Amino acid sequence: MGCEEEILIIRSYDGQYADRVRVEDLERRCEVGPSERVFLFTDTMGDPICRIRNSPLYKMLVAEVDNQLVGVIQGSIKVVTVHQAQKDRAKVGYVLGLRVVPSFRRRGIGCSLVLRLEEWFVANDVGYTYMATEKDNEASVKLFIYKLGYTNFRVPAILVNPVKHYRSYHLPSNIQISRLKVGVAEYLYRKFMASTEFFPHDIDQVLRHKLSLGTWVAYYRDDTDDAEDANFETSGSKSEMTIPKSWAMLSVWNSGEVFKLRLGKAPLSCLIYTESSKVIDKIFPCLNLPSIPNFYEPFGFYFMYGVH
């Protein structure tokens, strides 16, 4: 008697307890990043769709084989700026959170999940689909570029820095840093960054969200004709706002309230250095030596964006 062929079922995540527990278990078993290097595990803190829940439109699909959950994928849709001759904005679909249980990989499950998610994008008039992956993640590159025809659009860098309370920075006396009101921050984003590729047209909703910690601006106190007029705030029309010649701004998003990360694998030397630096920092705090936080326990992070 021949072996029965496995039947792959792809359906929407239903959000019920059984689905939630199985998805969280799958997340714990699937590392993020190439297995031969340091990788991260994601702790969704009981909410598997936490990374897309704040998007205007989102969807999560799960893959099952013989009632066993073996894969997941998430997608969200936003309206952003694009540089086209016909129009300056478009709906884009973002693919993220593609996970397949290690023992079920290389069976086309990941490809099937992406194609089904793309069907949902098409049904919602999405013009472009994009995703982010490490350039040396061979499995991901082969799937999206060589099999599904995705194009290498950009090669961004993600910069990380542990923050310690004693790392104070003394600003020069001629530099002013102020927190902006949401309306003012939105005005500046739309005025100076609206033409940037992939600028989100719901920036007002992003800035007003409960996870947004705020937007800050820095400028030289003496960088205007009248230093007292160097003020981004105004109670009247935005045209009355006095903007200095040189200034910078950024916004901060509290990702740690949504999900956490945990280091899953690292050289022994890294672990030894982490622990020893913590001991030195505890015994000799006056030295202000940089120490590495415990990335082996779940940790959150602040995401700085909109730097201009």
Side-chain angles (χ1 to χ4, degrees):
M1 181 179 295
C3 297
E4 295 184 1
E5 182 179 355
E6 295 179 337
I7 298 177
L8 174 65
I9 298 176
I10 296 179
R11 60 172 176 81
S12 296
Y13 169 74
D14 62 19
Q16 298 301 313
Y17 177 78
D19 256 12
R20 187 168 66 249
V21 170
R22 294 198 298 168
V23 170
E24 287 185 312
D25 178 66
L26 185 147
E27 286 277 2
R28 284 191 289 267
R29 288 186 288 160
C30 294
E31 71 280 358
V32 179
S35 59
E36 67 273 10
R37 292 172 44 197
V38 175
F39 57 77
L40 297 171
F41 287 104
T42 303
D43 180 1
T44 59
M45 301 165 58
D47 183 12
I49 61 173
C50 59
R51 285 170 288 179
I52 57 176
R53 185 181 293 281
N54 297 307
S55 299
L57 195 59
Y58 59 85
K59 192 176 189 65
M60 182 173 184
L61 300 174
V62 299
E64 293 178 320
V65 174
D66 294 333
N67 293 322
Q68 180 181 352
L69 197 147
V70 298
V72 297
I73 193 171
Q74 301 180 38
S76 62
I77 298 175
K78 293 179 74 72
V79 177
V80 302
T81 296
V82 294
H83 294 158
Q84 288 183 333
Q86 296 84 4
K87 54 184 179 179
D88 63 353
R89 65 176 63 182
K91 276 187 177 182
V92 297
Y94 180 33
V95 179
L96 72 158
L98 176 60
R99 308 277 191 269
V100 177
V101 173
S103 59
F104 281 84
R105 291 173 184 171
R106 302 182 185 278
R107 302 189 190 185
I109 295 176
C111 182
S112 298
L113 282 167
V114 175
L115 292 175
R116 184 66 63 84
L117 185 63
E118 288 181 344
E119 292 178 2
W120 177 70
F121 287 147
V122 171
N124 285 277
D125 301 319
V126 166
Y128 298 91
T129 301
Y130 72 104
M131 58 83 62
T133 187
E134 292 189 45
K135 61 182 179 180
D136 52 358
N137 187 334
E138 294 184 4
S140 183
V141 170
K142 287 180 179 178
L143 172 61
F144 284 94
I145 294 182
Y146 299 119
K147 192 167 186 178
L148 295 173
Y150 281 58
T151 301
N152 191 349
F153 176 60
R154 286 181 181 170
V155 184
I158 298 177
L159 308 179
V160 180
N161 181 45
V163 180
K164 297 290 288 186
H165 67 277
Y166 56 71
R167 287 187 179 178
S168 59
Y169 178 73
H170 300 287
L171 290 173
S173 59
N174 66 330
I175 292 181
Q176 175 70 37
I177 294 182
S178 302
R179 181 173 180 174
L180 298 177
K181 294 180 180 178
V182 173
V184 175
E186 178 192 351
Y187 169 77
L188 293 175
Y189 272 123
R190 295 195 186 279
K191 179 176 177 60
F192 294 100
M193 300 183 68
S195 61
T196 304
E197 195 88 43
F198 276 52
F199 176 81
H201 282 256
D202 64 339
I203 186 64
D204 56 325
Q205 299 299 317
V206 174
L207 295 173
R208 287 181 169 82
H209 196 276
K210 64 180 181 180
L211 294 177
S212 176
L213 298 182
T215 301
W216 284 261
V217 65
Y219 57 91
Y220 293 107
R221 298 178 188 272
D222 55 357
D223 199 17
T224 61
D225 295 332
D226 185 348
E228 294 182 357
D229 288 337
N231 191 348
F232 286 85
E233 304 296 339
T234 176
S235 58
S237 171
K238 296 296 190 300
S239 61
E240 300 175 1
M241 186 183 303
T242 302
I243 299 178
K245 298 175 183 178
S246 299
W247 57 281
M249 74 172 180
L250 64 78
S251 299
V252 183
W253 183 270
N254 187 4
S255 299
E257 291 295 320
V258 181
F259 66 95
K260 297 186 183 297
L261 301 174
R262 176 175 60 83
L263 198 63
K265 178 180 178 182
L268 179 61
S269 58
C270 181
L271 177 59
I272 294 175
Y273 179 74
T274 299
E275 295 301 322
S276 60
S277 65
K278 287 165 54 180
V279 173
I280 296 175
D281 182 43
K282 185 176 182 180
I283 298 177
F284 304 105
C286 59
L287 297 179
N288 287 349
L289 296 176
S291 61
I292 300 178
N294 186 6
F295 292 123
Y296 299 91
E297 295 294 331
F299 62 91
F301 61 94
Y302 289 159
F303 176 58
M304 295 187 294
Y305 66 96
V307 180
H308 176 74

